[in-house]
Amino acid sequence: MAAWSEARVRSMRGTDGATEARIACPAGAAADSEWTDGERLDGECPVGSPSPAFRADVLAGLSARLRAIPARWFYDRRGSELFEAITRLPEYYLTRVERSILAAHAADIAALTGSGCVVVEFGSGSSAKTPLLLSAVAPSAYVPIDISGEFLLDSAAALAKQFPELPIHPVEGDFLHPLELPPSAGNARRLGFFPGSTIGNMTAAAAVGLLRAMADTLGQGSKLLIGIDRIKPANVLIPAYDDAQGVTAEFNLNLLHRINRELDGTLPIGAFRHVALWNDTEARIEMHLEATRDVSFTVDGHPFGMSKGKTIHTENSHKYGERDARLLLRAGTWTPVAEWTDRDGLFALILAEARPVPAAP
Ligand code: SAH
Ligand code: AVI
């Protein structure tokens, strides 16, 4: 396995920020061989240079019959900041409700997980909910993983101030690629943390693949605390993804700014509008960018055209019923052991354990 493929790894301990920084660099740069075994890895190292994976996904996505770009590319620094702004919107109930569930049940969670584990957070973003968990479970180390590198390091530095004794090992990378945890995080039992219903941004097949990969990464007997948004009426869901202030629209359109900036694009951003719709068959909110007139543009020298009304599909946000969520976890080799929700049943926080799948009867 290409450990740390496309990942930059830094270790951080104590109050003074990155006192000990090591970077596992992909090919072409001075790779730190400690975690790569001297293996040449794909990609480019210099921070700030365009990602070949981003370029490949955008060119392929714009060439497809149904244009689509993976949602993970929303998260450059501006995208991460806009997502933080979304979490504060009155319409975006997800963050508020999940945080309230976590606050109400942190002690119950800790009673089931015990203390001293390594908390590994997938898609940690600002790590805003994490202090509630860390205070309750008193971990031996914290490993936040996120694709948005600069934002990850700033968030980790802020958290280090709040938890000066806690070793923090941020990992910049794509959690959809194989990952091994930094050896410096230690061998204590692992507790995965995957809040925010980020699992909903994957198709069911991709979600199952990711859950299985997480079980491999975290190990048998480890636990996973996962936040999953529930199915609810479209008149609640749509405003959550098409808010009155237009922040979600800006978040969606930022993808086009990113393409223009990083991939030498000429997309006429004013000729696109944000669309959020509820796809009942697939039980998901879909976000699209719709051309409001016929447009033509180039990306990295490649020409593209779109007729008025055509869209680029930029995100799915799947919602799960109570049993659907448990079935998804089981398919991903995680056995649910406890579940908490809010009074209105808007959102669920599920604790699951990685157990071998029993033979079918
Ligand atoms: N966990 C936070 C943030 C959720 S936003 C919360 O609950 O509020 C989703 C986060 O996942 C973003 O920070 C984004 O950068 C990250 N992310 C999305 N896709 C990713 C991927 N494939 N690999 C790593 N991080 C990813
Ligand atoms: C990160 N993810 C779970 C968010 C969601 O709700 O699907 C991203 C988001 N997209 C629009 N608003 C928020």
Side-chain angles (χ1 to χ4, degrees):
M1 176 172 67
W4 298 115
S5 173
E6 291 190 39
R8 293 189 190 88
V9 184
R10 302 177 195 200
S11 287
M12 177 181 293
R13 179 195 278 273
T15 48
D16 55 346
T19 51
E20 166 207 329
R22 288 180 294 192
I23 302 178
C25 254
D32 175 340
S33 61
E34 187 176 352
W35 294 332
T36 62
D37 295 319
E39 197 180 352
R40 283 181 68 85
L41 303 174
D42 297 337
E44 292 172 7
C45 191
V47 175
S49 62
S51 152
F54 179 43
R55 179 181 178 279
D57 279 351
V58 169
L59 293 179
L62 292 176
S63 308
R65 195 178 59 81
L66 295 175
R67 295 172 189 83
I69 297 173
R72 62 181 169 277
W73 299 118
F74 279 141
Y75 301 96
D76 61 355
R77 173 176 274 284
R78 178 77 185 133
S80 294
E81 287 166 357
L82 284 166
F83 177 74
E84 282 314 298
I86 288 174
T87 65
R88 293 189 288 271
L89 292 169
E91 297 96 329
Y92 196 76
Y93 60 88
L94 290 84
T95 305
R96 207 170 44 250
V97 173
E98 186 181 36
R99 189 178 286 139
S100 75
I101 301 171
L102 195 51
H105 297 289
D108 307 327
I109 293 164
L112 292 166
T113 62
S115 57
C117 52
V118 178
V119 170
V120 180
E121 181 166 357
F122 296 86
S124 48
S126 67
S127 291
K129 297 161 190 160
T130 318
L132 289 167
L133 182 67
L134 299 182
S135 299
V137 304
S140 56
Y142 172 55
V143 181
I145 303 172
D146 207 288
I147 201 165
S148 188
E150 274 179 41
F151 197 76
L152 167 75
L153 292 181
D154 288 353
S155 305
L159 203 72
K161 289 202 177 114
Q162 217 180 326
F163 294 87
E165 302 304 322
L166 178 68
I168 300 178
H169 306 273
V171 174
E172 178 190 346
D174 183 342
F175 54 54
L176 296 172
H177 289 198
L179 283 177
E180 279 171 16
L181 300 181
S184 47
N187 289 324
R189 234 172 343 97
R190 272 94 186 245
L191 169 62
F193 186 39
F194 196 23
S197 202
T198 302
I199 191 86
N201 296 137
M202 277 141 247
T203 60
V208 166
L210 175 61
L211 288 166
R212 285 173 176 255
M214 282 177 171
D216 286 346
T217 303
L218 299 176
Q220 287 301 318
S222 60
K223 292 199 170 62
L224 175 69
L225 184 64
I226 184 169
I228 303 188
D229 196 19
R230 292 246 176 102
I231 296 172
K232 55 186 65 64
N235 64 359
V236 178
L237 285 168
I238 292 187
Y241 291 84
D242 194 5
D243 61 281
Q245 292 171 56
V247 181
T248 312
E250 210 181 325
F251 174 70
N252 199 2
L253 287 159
N254 178 58
L255 179 62
L256 303 186
H257 286 287
R258 184 176 186 187
I259 294 171
N260 282 354
R261 203 170 44 243
E262 294 185 24
L263 301 177
D264 197 20
T266 62
L267 281 134
I269 293 162
F272 286 88
R273 74 176 187 103
H274 165 67
V275 175
L277 56 91
W278 172 245
N279 180 333
D280 197 59
T281 310
E282 304 283 350
R284 69 189 187 202
I285 286 282
E286 293 182 6
M287 295 204 324
H288 294 254
L289 289 165
E290 182 185 307
T292 55
R293 59 171 168 82
D294 292 355
V295 288
S296 52
F297 54 88
T298 58
V299 175
D300 199 21
H302 297 258
F304 296 96
M306 285 174 68
S307 317
K308 180 179 175 181
K310 293 290 180 193
T311 75
I312 307 170
H313 189 168
T314 50
E315 189 182 62
N316 290 317
S317 198
H318 293 86
K319 310 300 171 187
Y320 288 92
E322 221 176 306
R323 291 185 179 83
D324 310 333
R326 294 199 287 263
L327 183 63
L328 184 77
L329 284 165
R330 285 204 182 85
T333 70
W334 291 94
T335 303
V337 293
E339 180 165 352
W340 300 272
T341 185
D342 52 294
R343 201 178 353 157
D344 301 319
L346 297 177
F347 197 95
L349 205 50
I350 304 177
L351 185 69
E353 188 173 317
R355 288 187 197 155
V357 180

